[in-house]
Amino acid sequence: MTFSLAAKLSVLLLFIGSTLYVHLRGKARLPVLRQFVNHSALFAPYNALMYIFSAVPSKPYLDRSKFPELDVLKDNWEVIRDEAMHLFDEGYIRAAEKNNDAGFGSFFKKGWKRFYLKWYDKPLPSAELLCPKTVALVSSIPNVKGAMFALLPGGSHLNPHRDPFAGSLRYHLGLSTPNSDDCRIFVDGQIYAWRDGEDVMFDETYVHWVKNETEKTRVILFCDIERPLSNRLMTRINRWVSAQLGRATAPQNLDDERVGGINQAYAWSKSFSDRFSGVVKQWKRKHPKAYRVMRPVLAAVVVGALVYWLFG
């Protein structure tokens, strides 16, 4: 089946328009070129639908009281903290040892670490074994689609980024934090500082970044909450899409747990790119002038391929 020029242009304009919509949403923005090549751009048309049919306001931070089902987590924060700190002491909250966590791969370079509790279908076996009370609490709330313990060491930060999928919202519950304004998150430029036993809800598809300018490690409960939608059909679609993505990005805490196809592909591509980048760096050092020439040539090839797809 071949596409007409009008159909191709429609697809291209839909992608460009929705990506610009995502890019211009909010005050804090990624550089334009980065936004168009960022993984969040792949979901831009879908995310635009999520924003249009969202039953919650389009703003960086949301009123947590509108999600009363999450009270059980805040009310039991000390129980959750005790299990989290046991895992921390035993070294279970850690980076992906096999580079097979596509969603958070860049965070590990900053010292960020995690232990998954649940990921979009059911709890991980290791979580059920090692922190059963927290798993039971999380599993009692149907709209908690994903959950983990997340750690950020003192003196570290996470660079500005936006999460790619608008079908969910982000919930943080402080467990063991510096209790300081110097350990904070910026969501669309607006600041929130974590405190033990306090929680916050925000839209992670706004540009956000983190700074822990203290000497103490921050440990929180980190959850993906299903975005409430105003349309039943869109709710069903979002649940189906979320389920597919959840299976494709299934993570692991221990080696014997299942890994989704996207994470497997990420691990393979990371291994390949590490080897390839080593070769490129060596070639760049030996041929710096040729490297400078090749970059615009490759850009021209990409543009040429797009033009050929449209008009060829």
Side-chain angles (χ1 to χ4, degrees), residues 6-276:
K8 292 177 181 179
L9 285 172
S10 297
V11 171
L12 183 61
L13 289 174
L14 174 64
F15 171 76
I16 293 173
S18 56
T19 302
L20 285 174
Y21 175 36
V22 170
H23 176 67
L24 296 173
R25 185 172 176 262
K27 297 177 181 178
R29 298 181 184 123
L30 301 175
V32 175
L33 180 59
R34 181 183 166 191
Q35 179 60 66
F36 273 89
V37 300
N38 186 266
H39 59 299
S40 65
L42 295 174
F43 287 93
Y46 183 83
N47 288 350
L49 283 175
M50 294 294 100
Y51 301 141
I52 291 169
F53 290 100
S54 181
V56 297
S58 182
K59 59 182 184 178
Y61 291 99
L62 300 165
D63 184 353
R64 218 290 281 151
S65 67
K66 301 298 183 182
F67 297 82
E69 66 275 17
L70 300 177
D71 289 349
V72 67
L73 299 178
K74 186 175 182 179
D75 292 344
N76 288 277
W77 77 271
E78 291 172 305
V79 173
I80 298 170
R81 179 200 58 192
D82 291 346
E83 289 194 327
M85 298 315 293
H86 174 72
L87 291 178
F88 174 57
D89 292 340
E90 296 296 323
Y92 283 106
I93 305 178
R94 57 196 179 198
E97 296 180 342
K98 295 183 178 180
N99 287 321
N100 57 2
D101 195 335
F104 303 100
S106 63
F107 290 4
F108 299 132
K109 299 175 184 177
K110 305 296 183 181
W112 187 89
K113 299 175 183 178
R114 83 293 181 266
F115 181 88
Y116 284 98
L117 303 167
K118 175 185 178 182
W119 197 248
Y120 281 83
D121 54 359
K122 57 185 179 181
L124 277 71
S126 56
E128 292 180 305
L129 176 66
L130 296 169
C131 43
K133 294 178 182 177
T134 302
V135 168
L137 289 167
V138 167
S139 298
S140 71
I141 310 170
N143 63 341
V144 175
K145 299 303 180 182
M148 67 179 78
F149 295 130
L151 174 160
L152 186 70
S156 189
H157 69 280
L158 300 178
N159 291 326
H161 62 283
R162 66 167 85 245
D163 286 27
F165 183 61
S168 63
L169 301 167
R170 184 64 39 81
Y171 172 79
H172 284 181
L173 173 63
L175 301 177
S176 178
T177 76
N179 291 303
S180 167
D181 290 342
D182 290 331
C183 181
R184 59 207 186 278
I185 185 170
F186 302 76
V187 183
D188 199 33
Q190 299 179 32
I191 300 174
Y192 174 83
W194 294 279
R195 296 288 193 275
D196 293 359
E198 296 185 6
D199 56 6
V200 65
M201 179 83 74
F202 62 95
D203 185 336
E204 73 272 31
T205 59
Y206 282 98
V207 174
H208 56 286
W209 60 99
V210 175
K211 291 183 179 180
N212 184 0
E213 296 176 317
T214 75
E215 296 180 352
K216 183 178 178 180
T217 295
R218 181 224 66 182
V219 180
I220 60 172
L221 176 67
F222 171 121
C223 298
D224 278 358
I225 310 299
E226 181 182 304
R227 178 186 289 271
L229 300 174
S230 60
N231 181 282
R232 290 185 180 180
L233 176 60
M234 291 306 302
T235 297
R236 293 179 63 182
I237 291 172
N238 188 43
R239 288 175 179 171
W240 183 86
V241 171
S242 296
Q244 305 312 308
L245 287 174
R247 281 191 282 273
T249 57
Q252 64 176 189
N253 295 318
L254 303 178
D255 288 346
D256 59 350
E257 291 173 324
R258 175 184 173 272
V259 178
I262 289 177
N263 282 340
Q264 292 180 36
Y266 176 79
W268 178 86
S269 66
K270 188 73 169 59
S271 176
F272 175 80
S273 66
D274 287 346
R275 292 195 297 268
F276 181 73

Side-chain angles (χ1 to χ4, degrees), residues 280 283-300:
V280 171
W283 189 80
K284 178 183 177 181
R285 285 194 295 267
K286 292 180 180 179
H287 310 283
K289 292 183 179 179
Y291 178 80
R292 287 195 293 271
V293 171
M294 285 300 296
R295 292 181 66 183
V297 169
L298 289 174

